């Protein structure tokens, strides 16, 4: 009896495999798309979203640090907390001008990082900077947005010659954000 059950199970499995094999062979091949262009990806929208997320993270970090810590610096010659945040804000005003966006009204880069130690003003500058950068990205045509940025290094290399605006939020501003978060977490207990 046991042998009969095993034989029946094997017959069913063999029958199922055979039917699946015939079904695959008789199915028409999947149609190949005539479109050979690369899949689209809206880099402008992603860059604007990245900048919005960075704005939220930077402002929350700035809000979490007490006002009395804003003038603190880890060593002589190193940016203080407020100078670091204003440096990030200055980058938000500067990078769009590399893509021929008009300079932000009311922003003067000379001595900007040392312009205030007031927490509310620093947060205000961060928000203005990110708002300006986001608006700049959204105002560009796709061709303008995709065009490479000029080299930021004195010695141009293959790697730096192809930096584009679309890589800026995740490369430069993210490195500032990561430094600020690491630095913030290591110094707040002092």
């Amino acid at each position: 009896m046991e042998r009969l059950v095993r034989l029946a199970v094997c017959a069913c499995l063999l029958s199922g495999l055979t039917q699946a094999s015939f079904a695959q062979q008789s199915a028409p091949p999947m149609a190949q798309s005539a479109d050979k262009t690369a899949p689209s990806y809206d880099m402008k929208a992603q860059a604007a979203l990245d900048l919005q997320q960075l704005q939220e993270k930077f402002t929350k970090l700035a809000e979490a640090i007490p006002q009395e810590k804003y003038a603190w610096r880890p060593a002589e010659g190193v940016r203080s907390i407020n100078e670091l945040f204003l440096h990030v804000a200055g980058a938000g005003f500067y990078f769009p001008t590399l893509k021929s966006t008009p300079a932000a009204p009311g922003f003067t880069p000379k001595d900007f990082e040392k312009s205030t130690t007031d927490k509310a003003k620093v947060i205000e500058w961060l928000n203005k900077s990110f708002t300006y950068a986001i608006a700049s990205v959204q105002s560009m045509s796709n061709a303008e947005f995709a065009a490479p940025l000029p080299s930021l290094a004195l010695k141009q290399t293959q790697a730096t010659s192809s930096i584009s605006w679309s890589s800026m939020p995740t490369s430069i501003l993210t490195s500032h954000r990561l430094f600020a978060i690491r630095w913030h977490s290591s110094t707040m207990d002092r």
Side-chain angles (χ1 to χ4, degrees):
M1 179 74 173
E2 191 176 315
R3 185 175 178 189
L4 188 59
V5 171
R6 284 185 190 171
L7 187 59
V9 169
C10 287
C12 287
L13 287 174
L14 186 59
S15 172
L17 289 174
T18 306
Q19 288 177 353
S21 175
F22 282 123
Q24 284 180 346
Q25 289 174 359
S26 62
M30 292 184 62
Q32 294 290 326
S33 173
D35 184 9
K36 300 294 183 197
T37 59
S40 65
Y41 180 72
D42 191 351
M43 292 296 291
K44 278 178 45 176
Q46 186 61 51
L49 179 63
D50 289 347
L51 287 166
Q52 288 168 346
Q53 291 171 349
L54 286 170
Q55 177 181 13
E56 180 183 349
K57 291 173 183 178
F58 269 108
T59 54
K60 283 184 178 182
L61 181 61
E63 290 166 353
I65 298 172
Q67 170 66 53
E68 59 272 7
K69 298 267 186 176
Y70 265 60
W72 182 84
R73 67 182 71 244
E76 187 63 35
V78 178
R79 288 183 178 103
S80 64
I81 291 176
N82 67 292
E83 290 170 348
L84 176 69
F85 284 129
L86 291 174
H87 177 76
V88 171
F93 288 121
Y94 171 69
F95 281 105
T97 63
L98 295 175
K99 299 293 273 184
S100 301
T101 301
F107 172 71
T108 307
K110 184 174 172 61
D111 298 324
F112 177 69
E113 290 182 14
K114 299 184 187 306
S115 64
T116 186
T117 57
D118 181 58
K119 177 179 177 174
K121 288 193 183 291
V122 169
I123 293 169
E124 181 182 345
W125 277 115
L126 279 170
N127 283 319
K128 284 181 182 180
S129 167
F130 280 106
T131 301
Y132 170 75
I134 292 165
S136 297
V137 167
Q138 292 171 336
S139 71
M140 291 179 203
S141 70
N142 288 332
E144 290 170 327
F145 185 79
L149 285 172
S151 174
L152 301 176
L154 293 175
K155 291 184 178 179
Q156 187 171 5
T157 64
Q158 186 70 0
T160 60
S161 64
S162 63
I163 294 173
S164 67
W165 173 262
S166 59
S167 66
M168 188 276 295
T170 55
S171 63
I172 295 169
L173 289 180
T174 301
S175 67
H176 281 87
R177 179 178 65 84
L178 291 174
F179 171 78
I181 291 169
R182 283 188 205 127
W183 176 80
H184 170 68
S185 65
S186 69
T187 60
M188 287 309 293
D189 295 332
R190 294 181 184 179

